[in-house]
Each structure stands twice: as C-alpha cells, then as structure tokens.
PDB file of all heavy atoms in Angstrom:
ATOM      1  N   GLY A   1      78.738  92.330 103.641  1.00 82.00           N
ATOM      2  CA  GLY A   1      78.974  91.046 104.317  1.00 82.00           C
ATOM      3  C   GLY A   1      80.107  90.281 103.738  1.00 82.00           C
ATOM      4  O   GLY A   1      80.560  89.230 104.313  1.00 82.00           O
ATOM      5  N   ASP A   2      80.704  90.716 102.593  1.00 81.00           N
ATOM      6  CA  ASP A   2      81.831  90.076 102.009  1.00 81.00           C
ATOM      7  C   ASP A   2      83.139  90.836 102.252  1.00 81.00           C
ATOM      8  O   ASP A   2      84.179  90.572 101.696  1.00 81.00           O
ATOM      9  CB  ASP A   2      81.648  89.949 100.478  1.00 81.00           C
ATOM     10  CG  ASP A   2      80.527  88.993 100.125  1.00 81.00           C
ATOM     11  OD1 ASP A   2      80.240  88.077 100.949  1.00 81.00           O
ATOM     12  OD2 ASP A   2      79.867  89.174  99.095  1.00 81.00           O
ATOM     13  N   SER A   3      83.033  91.881 103.068  1.00 87.00           N
ATOM     14  CA  SER A   3      84.190  92.733 103.377  1.00 87.00           C
ATOM     15  C   SER A   3      84.752  92.289 104.759  1.00 87.00           C
ATOM     16  O   SER A   3      84.103  92.558 105.773  1.00 87.00           O
ATOM     17  CB  SER A   3      83.794  94.216 103.405  1.00 87.00           C
ATOM     18  OG  SER A   3      84.841  94.983 103.947  1.00 87.00           O
ATOM     19  N   PRO A   4      85.978  91.738 104.837  1.00 87.00           N
ATOM     20  CA  PRO A   4      86.529  91.358 106.103  1.00 87.00           C
ATOM     21  C   PRO A   4      86.651  92.556 107.104  1.00 87.00           C
ATOM     22  O   PRO A   4      86.365  92.420 108.286  1.00 87.00           O
ATOM     23  CB  PRO A   4      87.931  90.816 105.777  1.00 87.00           C
ATOM     24  CG  PRO A   4      87.890  90.537 104.344  1.00 87.00           C
ATOM     25  CD  PRO A   4      86.891  91.424 103.730  1.00 87.00           C
ATOM     26  N   GLY A   5      87.018  93.693 106.559  1.00 88.00           N
ATOM     27  CA  GLY A   5      87.154  94.881 107.425  1.00 88.00           C
ATOM     28  C   GLY A   5      85.815  95.294 108.051  1.00 88.00           C
ATOM     29  O   GLY A   5      85.732  95.595 109.247  1.00 88.00           O
ATOM     30  N   PHE A   6      84.770  95.247 107.239  1.00 90.00           N
ATOM     31  CA  PHE A   6      83.450  95.659 107.740  1.00 90.00           C
ATOM     32  C   PHE A   6      82.939  94.629 108.774  1.00 90.00           C
ATOM     33  O   PHE A   6      82.414  94.991 109.800  1.00 90.00           O
ATOM     34  CB  PHE A   6      82.448  95.825 106.624  1.00 90.00           C
ATOM     35  CG  PHE A   6      81.086  96.262 107.037  1.00 90.00           C
ATOM     36  CD1 PHE A   6      80.907  97.567 107.508  1.00 90.00           C
ATOM     37  CD2 PHE A   6      80.017  95.441 106.987  1.00 90.00           C
ATOM     38  CE1 PHE A   6      79.685  98.059 107.923  1.00 90.00           C
ATOM     39  CE2 PHE A   6      78.753  95.885 107.379  1.00 90.00           C
ATOM     40  CZ  PHE A   6      78.606  97.173 107.870  1.00 90.00           C
ATOM     41  N   LEU A   7      83.180  93.357 108.457  1.00 90.00           N
ATOM     42  CA  LEU A   7      82.756  92.294 109.446  1.00 90.00           C
ATOM     43  C   LEU A   7      83.516  92.383 110.747  1.00 90.00           C
ATOM     44  O   LEU A   7      82.943  92.238 111.811  1.00 90.00           O
ATOM     45  CB  LEU A   7      82.928  90.942 108.784  1.00 90.00           C
ATOM     46  CG  LEU A   7      81.962  90.603 107.632  1.00 90.00           C
ATOM     47  CD1 LEU A   7      82.412  89.274 106.982  1.00 90.00           C
ATOM     48  CD2 LEU A   7      80.567  90.523 108.129  1.00 90.00           C
ATOM     49  N   LEU A   8      84.797  92.709 110.617  1.00 91.00           N
ATOM     50  CA  LEU A   8      85.594  92.904 111.889  1.00 91.00           C
ATOM     51  C   LEU A   8      85.102  94.119 112.637  1.00 91.00           C
ATOM     52  O   LEU A   8      84.979  94.075 113.892  1.00 91.00           O
ATOM     53  CB  LEU A   8      87.078  93.111 111.507  1.00 91.00           C
ATOM     54  CG  LEU A   8      88.038  93.330 112.715  1.00 91.00           C
ATOM     55  CD1 LEU A   8      87.986  92.119 113.657  1.00 91.00           C
ATOM     56  CD2 LEU A   8      89.450  93.558 112.202  1.00 91.00           C
ATOM     57  N   TRP A   9      84.769  95.194 111.969  1.00 93.00           N
ATOM     58  CA  TRP A   9      84.172  96.372 112.611  1.00 93.00           C
ATOM     59  C   TRP A   9      82.905  95.988 113.355  1.00 93.00           C
ATOM     60  O   TRP A   9      82.753  96.342 114.514  1.00 93.00           O
ATOM     61  CB  TRP A   9      83.867  97.406 111.529  1.00 93.00           C
ATOM     62  CG  TRP A   9      83.070  98.597 112.005  1.00 93.00           C
ATOM     63  CD1 TRP A   9      81.745  98.797 111.737  1.00 93.00           C
ATOM     64  CD2 TRP A   9      83.518  99.642 112.845  1.00 93.00           C
ATOM     65  NE1 TRP A   9      81.363  99.968 112.347  1.00 93.00           N
ATOM     66  CE2 TRP A   9      82.424 100.496 113.012  1.00 93.00           C
ATOM     67  CE3 TRP A   9      84.731  99.964 113.456  1.00 93.00           C
ATOM     68  CZ2 TRP A   9      82.484 101.674 113.797  1.00 93.00           C
ATOM     69  CZ3 TRP A   9      84.782 101.111 114.218  1.00 93.00           C
ATOM     70  CH2 TRP A   9      83.671 101.932 114.376  1.00 93.00           C
ATOM     71  N   ARG A  10      82.008  95.260 112.737  1.00 94.00           N
ATOM     72  CA  ARG A  10      80.751  94.891 113.345  1.00 94.00           C
ATOM     73  C   ARG A  10      80.991  93.940 114.544  1.00 94.00           C
ATOM     74  O   ARG A  10      80.379  94.111 115.585  1.00 94.00           O
ATOM     75  CB  ARG A  10      79.852  94.207 112.322  1.00 94.00           C
ATOM     76  CG  ARG A  10      79.375  95.081 111.184  1.00 94.00           C
ATOM     77  CD  ARG A  10      78.361  96.120 111.548  1.00 94.00           C
ATOM     78  NE  ARG A  10      77.198  95.607 112.265  1.00 94.00           N
ATOM     79  CZ  ARG A  10      76.070  95.256 111.722  1.00 94.00           C
ATOM     80  NH1 ARG A  10      75.876  95.383 110.425  1.00 94.00           N
ATOM     81  NH2 ARG A  10      75.100  94.783 112.446  1.00 94.00           N
ATOM     82  N   ALA A  11      81.874  93.006 114.348  1.00 93.00           N
ATOM     83  CA  ALA A  11      82.175  92.065 115.467  1.00 93.00           C
ATOM     84  C   ALA A  11      82.827  92.786 116.619  1.00 93.00           C
ATOM     85  O   ALA A  11      82.482  92.535 117.819  1.00 93.00           O
ATOM     86  CB  ALA A  11      83.102  90.944 114.943  1.00 93.00           C
ATOM     87  N   THR A  12      83.709  93.732 116.344  1.00 95.00           N
ATOM     88  CA  THR A  12      84.375  94.498 117.383  1.00 95.00           C
ATOM     89  C   THR A  12      83.368  95.316 118.185  1.00 95.00           C
ATOM     90  O   THR A  12      83.422  95.352 119.416  1.00 95.00           O
ATOM     91  CB  THR A  12      85.495  95.425 116.796  1.00 95.00           C
ATOM     92  OG1 THR A  12      86.436  94.615 116.161  1.00 95.00           O
ATOM     93  CG2 THR A  12      86.132  96.236 117.870  1.00 95.00           C
ATOM     94  N   LEU A  13      82.432  95.939 117.503  1.00 97.00           N
ATOM     95  CA  LEU A  13      81.401  96.729 118.201  1.00 97.00           C
ATOM     96  C   LEU A  13      80.525  95.838 119.111  1.00 97.00           C
ATOM     97  O   LEU A  13      80.236  96.199 120.241  1.00 97.00           O
ATOM     98  CB  LEU A  13      80.556  97.497 117.175  1.00 97.00           C
ATOM     99  CG  LEU A  13      81.234  98.621 116.439  1.00 97.00           C
ATOM    100  CD1 LEU A  13      80.274  99.186 115.379  1.00 97.00           C
ATOM    101  CD2 LEU A  13      81.715  99.702 117.401  1.00 97.00           C
ATOM    102  N   ARG A  14      80.176  94.656 118.590  1.00 96.00           N
ATOM    103  CA  ARG A  14      79.365  93.749 119.387  1.00 96.00           C
ATOM    104  C   ARG A  14      80.130  93.275 120.615  1.00 96.00           C
ATOM    105  O   ARG A  14      79.607  93.234 121.706  1.00 96.00           O
ATOM    106  CB  ARG A  14      78.948  92.561 118.524  1.00 96.00           C
ATOM    107  CG  ARG A  14      77.793  91.787 119.158  1.00 96.00           C
ATOM    108  CD  ARG A  14      77.322  90.656 118.198  1.00 96.00           C
ATOM    109  NE  ARG A  14      77.496  89.421 118.919  1.00 96.00           N
ATOM    110  CZ  ARG A  14      78.314  88.418 118.618  1.00 96.00           C
ATOM    111  NH1 ARG A  14      79.022  88.500 117.507  1.00 96.00           N
ATOM    112  NH2 ARG A  14      78.407  87.384 119.363  1.00 96.00           N
ATOM    113  N   TRP A  15      81.436  92.963 120.430  1.00 96.00           N
ATOM    114  CA  TRP A  15      82.258  92.554 121.540  1.00 96.00           C
ATOM    115  C   TRP A  15      82.404  93.680 122.548  1.00 96.00           C
ATOM    116  O   TRP A  15      82.288  93.453 123.756  1.00 96.00           O
ATOM    117  CB  TRP A  15      83.641  92.082 121.051  1.00 96.00           C
ATOM    118  CG  TRP A  15      84.664  91.829 122.111  1.00 96.00           C
ATOM    119  CD1 TRP A  15      84.649  90.801 122.979  1.00 96.00           C
ATOM    120  CD2 TRP A  15      85.724  92.655 122.414  1.00 96.00           C
ATOM    121  NE1 TRP A  15      85.750  90.930 123.790  1.00 96.00           N
ATOM    122  CE2 TRP A  15      86.434  92.077 123.511  1.00 96.00           C
ATOM    123  CE3 TRP A  15      86.263  93.863 121.888  1.00 96.00           C
ATOM    124  CZ2 TRP A  15      87.580  92.632 124.048  1.00 96.00           C
ATOM    125  CZ3 TRP A  15      87.412  94.386 122.455  1.00 96.00           C
ATOM    126  CH2 TRP A  15      88.026  93.763 123.513  1.00 96.00           C
ATOM    127  N   GLN A  16      82.654  94.909 122.102  1.00 97.00           N
ATOM    128  CA  GLN A  16      82.816  95.999 122.987  1.00 97.00           C
ATOM    129  C   GLN A  16      81.546  96.286 123.794  1.00 97.00           C
ATOM    130  O   GLN A  16      81.642  96.593 124.966  1.00 97.00           O
ATOM    131  CB  GLN A  16      83.228  97.315 122.225  1.00 97.00           C
ATOM    132  CG  GLN A  16      84.611  97.256 121.713  1.00 97.00           C
ATOM    133  CD  GLN A  16      84.984  98.447 120.850  1.00 97.00           C
ATOM    134  OE1 GLN A  16      84.137  99.069 120.210  1.00 97.00           O
ATOM    135  NE2 GLN A  16      86.266  98.754 120.805  1.00 97.00           N
ATOM    136  N   ARG A  17      80.374  96.121 123.188  1.00 98.00           N
ATOM    137  CA  ARG A  17      79.150  96.301 123.931  1.00 98.00           C
ATOM    138  C   ARG A  17      79.039  95.274 125.032  1.00 98.00           C
ATOM    139  O   ARG A  17      78.588  95.599 126.180  1.00 98.00           O
ATOM    140  CB  ARG A  17      77.944  96.214 122.999  1.00 98.00           C
ATOM    141  CG  ARG A  17      77.720  97.449 122.170  1.00 98.00           C
ATOM    142  CD  ARG A  17      76.340  97.447 121.447  1.00 98.00           C
ATOM    143  NE  ARG A  17      76.179  96.317 120.507  1.00 98.00           N
ATOM    144  CZ  ARG A  17      76.544  96.341 119.241  1.00 98.00           C
ATOM    145  NH1 ARG A  17      77.116  97.436 118.720  1.00 98.00           N
ATOM    146  NH2 ARG A  17      76.388  95.335 118.455  1.00 98.00           N
ATOM    147  N   GLY A  18      79.426  94.054 124.754  1.00 98.00           N
ATOM    148  CA  GLY A  18      79.394  92.987 125.779  1.00 98.00           C
ATOM    149  C   GLY A  18      80.332  93.264 126.952  1.00 98.00           C
ATOM    150  O   GLY A  18      79.994  93.116 128.117  1.00 98.00           O
ATOM    151  N   VAL A  19      81.545  93.752 126.639  1.00 98.00           N
ATOM    152  CA  VAL A  19      82.507  94.085 127.656  1.00 98.00           C
ATOM    153  C   VAL A  19      82.031  95.287 128.476  1.00 98.00           C
ATOM    154  O   VAL A  19      82.110  95.296 129.693  1.00 98.00           O
ATOM    155  CB  VAL A  19      83.923  94.334 127.039  1.00 98.00           C
ATOM    156  CG1 VAL A  19      84.865  94.912 128.107  1.00 98.00           C
ATOM    157  CG2 VAL A  19      84.469  93.046 126.469  1.00 98.00           C
ATOM    158  N   ALA A  20      81.503  96.311 127.801  1.00 98.00           N
ATOM    159  CA  ALA A  20      80.987  97.492 128.538  1.00 98.00           C
ATOM    160  C   ALA A  20      79.879  97.082 129.481  1.00 98.00           C
ATOM    161  O   ALA A  20      79.826  97.582 130.641  1.00 98.00           O
ATOM    162  CB  ALA A  20      80.524  98.526 127.555  1.00 98.00           C
ATOM    163  N   ALA A  21      78.983  96.227 129.021  1.00 98.00           N
ATOM    164  CA  ALA A  21      77.894  95.778 129.925  1.00 98.00           C
ATOM    165  C   ALA A  21      78.431  95.006 131.112  1.00 98.00           C
ATOM    166  O   ALA A  21      77.892  95.146 132.216  1.00 98.00           O
ATOM    167  CB  ALA A  21      76.917  94.916 129.103  1.00 98.00           C
ATOM    168  N   ALA A  22      79.446  94.177 130.922  1.00 98.00           N
ATOM    169  CA  ALA A  22      80.016  93.404 132.014  1.00 98.00           C
ATOM    170  C   ALA A  22      80.733  94.316 133.059  1.00 98.00           C
ATOM    171  O   ALA A  22      80.734  94.039 134.219  1.00 98.00           O
ATOM    172  CB  ALA A  22      81.034  92.389 131.455  1.00 98.00           C
ATOM    173  N   LEU A  23      81.319  95.438 132.563  1.00 98.00           N
ATOM    174  CA  LEU A  23      82.073  96.317 133.465  1.00 98.00           C
ATOM    175  C   LEU A  23      81.203  97.405 134.109  1.00 98.00           C
ATOM    176  O   LEU A  23      81.581  97.974 135.121  1.00 98.00           O
ATOM    177  CB  LEU A  23      83.189  96.983 132.686  1.00 98.00           C
ATOM    178  CG  LEU A  23      84.327  96.083 132.252  1.00 98.00           C
ATOM    179  CD1 LEU A  23      85.240  96.827 131.273  1.00 98.00           C
ATOM    180  CD2 LEU A  23      85.084  95.578 133.455  1.00 98.00           C
ATOM    181  N   ALA A  24      80.018  97.650 133.585  1.00 98.00           N
ATOM    182  CA  ALA A  24      79.169  98.736 134.072  1.00 98.00           C
ATOM    183  C   ALA A  24      78.850  98.583 135.562  1.00 98.00           C
ATOM    184  O   ALA A  24      78.946  99.580 136.317  1.00 98.00           O
ATOM    185  CB  ALA A  24      77.866  98.810 133.260  1.00 98.00           C
ATOM    186  N   PRO A  25      78.505  97.384 136.041  1.00 98.00           N
ATOM    187  CA  PRO A  25      78.246  97.260 137.490  1.00 98.00           C
ATOM    188  C   PRO A  25      79.447  97.572 138.348  1.00 98.00           C
ATOM    189  O   PRO A  25      79.308  97.855 139.578  1.00 98.00           O
ATOM    190  CB  PRO A  25      77.759  95.776 137.690  1.00 98.00           C
ATOM    191  CG  PRO A  25      77.422  95.347 136.290  1.00 98.00           C
ATOM    192  CD  PRO A  25      78.254  96.154 135.354  1.00 98.00           C
ATOM    193  N   LEU A  26      80.639  97.468 137.792  1.00 98.00           N
ATOM    194  CA  LEU A  26      81.860  97.742 138.536  1.00 98.00           C
ATOM    195  C   LEU A  26      82.335  99.167 138.370  1.00 98.00           C
ATOM    196  O   LEU A  26      83.335  99.561 138.926  1.00 98.00           O
ATOM    197  CB  LEU A  26      82.954  96.742 138.056  1.00 98.00           C
ATOM    198  CG  LEU A  26      82.622  95.264 138.175  1.00 98.00           C
ATOM    199  CD1 LEU A  26      83.731  94.424 137.519  1.00 98.00           C
ATOM    200  CD2 LEU A  26      82.430  94.913 139.646  1.00 98.00           C
ATOM    201  N   HIS A  27      81.590  99.965 137.651  1.00 98.00           N
ATOM    202  CA  HIS A  27      81.845 101.384 137.409  1.00 98.00           C
ATOM    203  C   HIS A  27      83.222 101.633 136.756  1.00 98.00           C
ATOM    204  O   HIS A  27      83.953 102.525 137.155  1.00 98.00           O
ATOM    205  CB  HIS A  27      81.715 102.176 138.694  1.00 98.00           C
ATOM    206  CG  HIS A  27      80.411 101.951 139.404  1.00 98.00           C
ATOM    207  ND1 HIS A  27      79.248 102.435 138.905  1.00 98.00           N
ATOM    208  CD2 HIS A  27      80.111 101.195 140.540  1.00 98.00           C
ATOM    209  CE1 HIS A  27      78.270 102.065 139.720  1.00 98.00           C
ATOM    210  NE2 HIS A  27      78.756 101.276 140.690  1.00 98.00           N
ATOM    211  N   LEU A  28      83.513 100.773 135.747  1.00 98.00           N
ATOM    212  CA  LEU A  28      84.745 100.917 134.997  1.00 98.00           C
ATOM    213  C   LEU A  28      84.396 101.025 133.481  1.00 98.00           C
ATOM    214  O   LEU A  28      83.516 100.294 133.039  1.00 98.00           O
ATOM    215  CB  LEU A  28      85.662  99.742 135.187  1.00 98.00           C
ATOM    216  CG  LEU A  28      86.372  99.571 136.518  1.00 98.00           C
ATOM    217  CD1 LEU A  28      87.065  98.225 136.576  1.00 98.00           C
ATOM    218  CD2 LEU A  28      87.349 100.678 136.801  1.00 98.00           C
ATOM    219  N   THR A  29      85.118 101.890 132.801  1.00 98.00           N
ATOM    220  CA  THR A  29      85.037 101.847 131.335  1.00 98.00           C
ATOM    221  C   THR A  29      86.008 100.752 130.837  1.00 98.00           C
ATOM    222  O   THR A  29      86.823 100.243 131.625  1.00 98.00           O
ATOM    223  CB  THR A  29      85.465 103.184 130.722  1.00 98.00           C
ATOM    224  OG1 THR A  29      86.844 103.405 130.984  1.00 98.00           O
ATOM    225  CG2 THR A  29      84.592 104.325 131.256  1.00 98.00           C
ATOM    226  N   HIS A  30      85.899 100.448 129.566  1.00 98.00           N
ATOM    227  CA  HIS A  30      86.796  99.395 129.038  1.00 98.00           C
ATOM    228  C   HIS A  30      88.287  99.805 129.181  1.00 98.00           C
ATOM    229  O   HIS A  30      89.095  98.965 129.627  1.00 98.00           O
ATOM    230  CB  HIS A  30      86.431  99.162 127.577  1.00 98.00           C
ATOM    231  CG  HIS A  30      86.933  97.858 127.061  1.00 98.00           C
ATOM    232  ND1 HIS A  30      86.472  97.315 125.923  1.00 98.00           N
ATOM    233  CD2 HIS A  30      87.898  96.999 127.520  1.00 98.00           C
ATOM    234  CE1 HIS A  30      87.114  96.183 125.660  1.00 98.00           C
ATOM    235  NE2 HIS A  30      87.987  95.967 126.613  1.00 98.00           N
ATOM    236  N   VAL A  31      88.587 100.996 128.821  1.00 98.00           N
ATOM    237  CA  VAL A  31      90.019 101.377 128.881  1.00 98.00           C
ATOM    238  C   VAL A  31      90.474 101.531 130.345  1.00 98.00           C
ATOM    239  O   VAL A  31      91.608 101.157 130.669  1.00 98.00           O
ATOM    240  CB  VAL A  31      90.271 102.741 128.102  1.00 98.00           C
ATOM    241  CG1 VAL A  31      89.635 103.950 128.761  1.00 98.00           C
ATOM    242  CG2 VAL A  31      91.776 102.935 127.853  1.00 98.00           C
ATOM    243  N   GLN A  32      89.610 101.931 131.252  1.00 98.00           N
ATOM    244  CA  GLN A  32      89.967 101.922 132.674  1.00 98.00           C
ATOM    245  C   GLN A  32      90.295 100.499 133.135  1.00 98.00           C
ATOM    246  O   GLN A  32      91.262 100.291 133.833  1.00 98.00           O
ATOM    247  CB  GLN A  32      88.855 102.535 133.499  1.00 98.00           C
ATOM    248  CG  GLN A  32      88.678 104.055 133.379  1.00 98.00           C
ATOM    249  CD  GLN A  32      87.452 104.522 134.037  1.00 98.00           C
ATOM    250  OE1 GLN A  32      86.633 103.814 134.578  1.00 98.00           O
ATOM    251  NE2 GLN A  32      87.266 105.889 134.007  1.00 98.00           N
ATOM    252  N   PHE A  33      89.454  99.607 132.722  1.00 98.00           N
ATOM    253  CA  PHE A  33      89.658  98.212 133.051  1.00 98.00           C
ATOM    254  C   PHE A  33      90.993  97.687 132.537  1.00 98.00           C
ATOM    255  O   PHE A  33      91.774  97.081 133.277  1.00 98.00           O
ATOM    256  CB  PHE A  33      88.532  97.317 132.478  1.00 98.00           C
ATOM    257  CG  PHE A  33      88.971  95.859 132.347  1.00 98.00           C
ATOM    258  CD1 PHE A  33      89.074  95.071 133.485  1.00 98.00           C
ATOM    259  CD2 PHE A  33      89.274  95.343 131.134  1.00 98.00           C
ATOM    260  CE1 PHE A  33      89.500  93.726 133.375  1.00 98.00           C
ATOM    261  CE2 PHE A  33      89.670  94.031 131.020  1.00 98.00           C
ATOM    262  CZ  PHE A  33      89.807  93.204 132.150  1.00 98.00           C
ATOM    263  N   VAL A  34      91.298  97.968 131.276  1.00 98.00           N
ATOM    264  CA  VAL A  34      92.548  97.463 130.676  1.00 98.00           C
ATOM    265  C   VAL A  34      93.740  97.989 131.452  1.00 98.00           C
ATOM    266  O   VAL A  34      94.705  97.238 131.765  1.00 98.00           O
ATOM    267  CB  VAL A  34      92.602  97.822 129.159  1.00 98.00           C
ATOM    268  CG1 VAL A  34      93.992  97.540 128.599  1.00 98.00           C
ATOM    269  CG2 VAL A  34      91.568  97.021 128.383  1.00 98.00           C
ATOM    270  N   LEU A  35      93.748  99.272 131.723  1.00 98.00           N
ATOM    271  CA  LEU A  35      94.890  99.884 132.413  1.00 98.00           C
ATOM    272  C   LEU A  35      94.983  99.407 133.849  1.00 98.00           C
ATOM    273  O   LEU A  35      96.095  99.089 134.354  1.00 98.00           O
ATOM    274  CB  LEU A  35      94.860 101.425 132.343  1.00 98.00           C
ATOM    275  CG  LEU A  35      95.016 101.971 130.931  1.00 98.00           C
ATOM    276  CD1 LEU A  35      94.833 103.450 130.909  1.00 98.00           C
ATOM    277  CD2 LEU A  35      96.365 101.594 130.352  1.00 98.00           C
ATOM    278  N   LEU A  36      93.882  99.287 134.572  1.00 98.00           N
ATOM    279  CA  LEU A  36      93.902  98.741 135.916  1.00 98.00           C
ATOM    280  C   LEU A  36      94.356  97.281 135.933  1.00 98.00           C
ATOM    281  O   LEU A  36      95.204  96.926 136.754  1.00 98.00           O
ATOM    282  CB  LEU A  36      92.483  98.884 136.556  1.00 98.00           C
ATOM    283  CG  LEU A  36      92.364  98.227 137.954  1.00 98.00           C
ATOM    284  CD1 LEU A  36      93.254  98.996 138.966  1.00 98.00           C
ATOM    285  CD2 LEU A  36      90.891  98.235 138.389  1.00 98.00           C
ATOM    286  N   ALA A  37      93.849  96.487 135.018  1.00 98.00           N
ATOM    287  CA  ALA A  37      94.249  95.079 134.966  1.00 98.00           C
ATOM    288  C   ALA A  37      95.697  94.916 134.653  1.00 98.00           C
ATOM    289  O   ALA A  37      96.397  94.113 135.244  1.00 98.00           O
ATOM    290  CB  ALA A  37      93.335  94.321 133.946  1.00 98.00           C
ATOM    291  N   CYS A  38      96.208  95.717 133.714  1.00 97.00           N
ATOM    292  CA  CYS A  38      97.624  95.615 133.356  1.00 97.00           C
ATOM    293  C   CYS A  38      98.486  96.052 134.487  1.00 97.00           C
ATOM    294  O   CYS A  38      99.540  95.421 134.800  1.00 97.00           O
ATOM    295  CB  CYS A  38      97.916  96.462 132.096  1.00 97.00           C
ATOM    296  SG  CYS A  38      97.319  95.722 130.541  1.00 97.00           S
ATOM    297  N   ALA A  39      98.127  97.173 135.167  1.00 98.00           N
ATOM    298  CA  ALA A  39      98.928  97.607 136.303  1.00 98.00           C
ATOM    299  C   ALA A  39      98.872  96.623 137.429  1.00 98.00           C
ATOM    300  O   ALA A  39      99.929  96.316 138.050  1.00 98.00           O
ATOM    301  CB  ALA A  39      98.371  98.964 136.836  1.00 98.00           C
ATOM    302  N   TRP A  40      97.721  96.050 137.665  1.00 98.00           N
ATOM    303  CA  TRP A  40      97.575  94.986 138.728  1.00 98.00           C
ATOM    304  C   TRP A  40      98.441  93.798 138.386  1.00 98.00           C
ATOM    305  O   TRP A  40      99.154  93.289 139.247  1.00 98.00           O
ATOM    306  CB  TRP A  40      96.130  94.633 138.872  1.00 98.00           C
ATOM    307  CG  TRP A  40      95.820  93.494 139.779  1.00 98.00           C
ATOM    308  CD1 TRP A  40      95.801  93.533 141.143  1.00 98.00           C
ATOM    309  CD2 TRP A  40      95.668  92.138 139.418  1.00 98.00           C
ATOM    310  NE1 TRP A  40      95.560  92.311 141.670  1.00 98.00           N
ATOM    311  CE2 TRP A  40      95.470  91.368 140.623  1.00 98.00           C
ATOM    312  CE3 TRP A  40      95.624  91.431 138.213  1.00 98.00           C
ATOM    313  CZ2 TRP A  40      95.237  90.014 140.644  1.00 98.00           C
ATOM    314  CZ3 TRP A  40      95.404  90.060 138.224  1.00 98.00           C
ATOM    315  CH2 TRP A  40      95.193  89.361 139.441  1.00 98.00           C
ATOM    316  N   TRP A  41      98.401  93.353 137.146  1.00 97.00           N
ATOM    317  CA  TRP A  41      99.189  92.177 136.710  1.00 97.00           C
ATOM    318  C   TRP A  41     100.678  92.494 136.897  1.00 97.00           C
ATOM    319  O   TRP A  41     101.412  91.663 137.459  1.00 97.00           O
ATOM    320  CB  TRP A  41      98.853  91.846 135.277  1.00 97.00           C
ATOM    321  CG  TRP A  41      99.491  90.526 134.871  1.00 97.00           C
ATOM    322  CD1 TRP A  41      98.958  89.286 134.991  1.00 97.00           C
ATOM    323  CD2 TRP A  41     100.746  90.358 134.200  1.00 97.00           C
ATOM    324  NE1 TRP A  41      99.841  88.371 134.504  1.00 97.00           N
ATOM    325  CE2 TRP A  41     100.921  88.998 133.991  1.00 97.00           C
ATOM    326  CE3 TRP A  41     101.729  91.247 133.784  1.00 97.00           C
ATOM    327  CZ2 TRP A  41     102.072  88.499 133.390  1.00 97.00           C
ATOM    328  CZ3 TRP A  41     102.860  90.743 133.180  1.00 97.00           C
ATOM    329  CH2 TRP A  41     103.019  89.381 132.985  1.00 97.00           C
TER     330      TRP A  41
END
C-alpha cells in the first residue's frame, strides 16, 4: 500500500474493469474502442 507502482497497477485494473463493463453491451473491447474512437475523431 506504500508502493506507488503497485497502487497504480491496482487502480488501473479497477479502471479497466469499469471500462470493459461499459463497452460490453456495445460488443467492443477496450482496444477496439480506442482505435474506433480515434479513427472516428
């Protein structure tokens, strides 16, 4: 809990789970979303 890298790892995993859950109904993975969104933009 005193390691910034470990805390970042845990936070990143929690954030990724939230994003994956948000994208699941749209049938997109996180990386598919990023590339589609960037291409669209």
Side-chain angles (χ1 to χ4, degrees):
D2 295 331
S3 170
F6 184 69
L7 291 172
L8 180 60
W9 169 254
R10 296 288 306 267
T12 300
L13 291 175
R14 196 175 121 245
W15 170 73
Q16 288 175 335
R17 283 191 299 272
V19 171
L23 291 170
L26 302 174
H27 308 288
L28 290 172
T29 66
H30 197 165
V31 71
Q32 288 171 357
F33 159 73
V34 169
L35 293 175
L36 176 64
C38 286
W40 174 80
W41 188 87

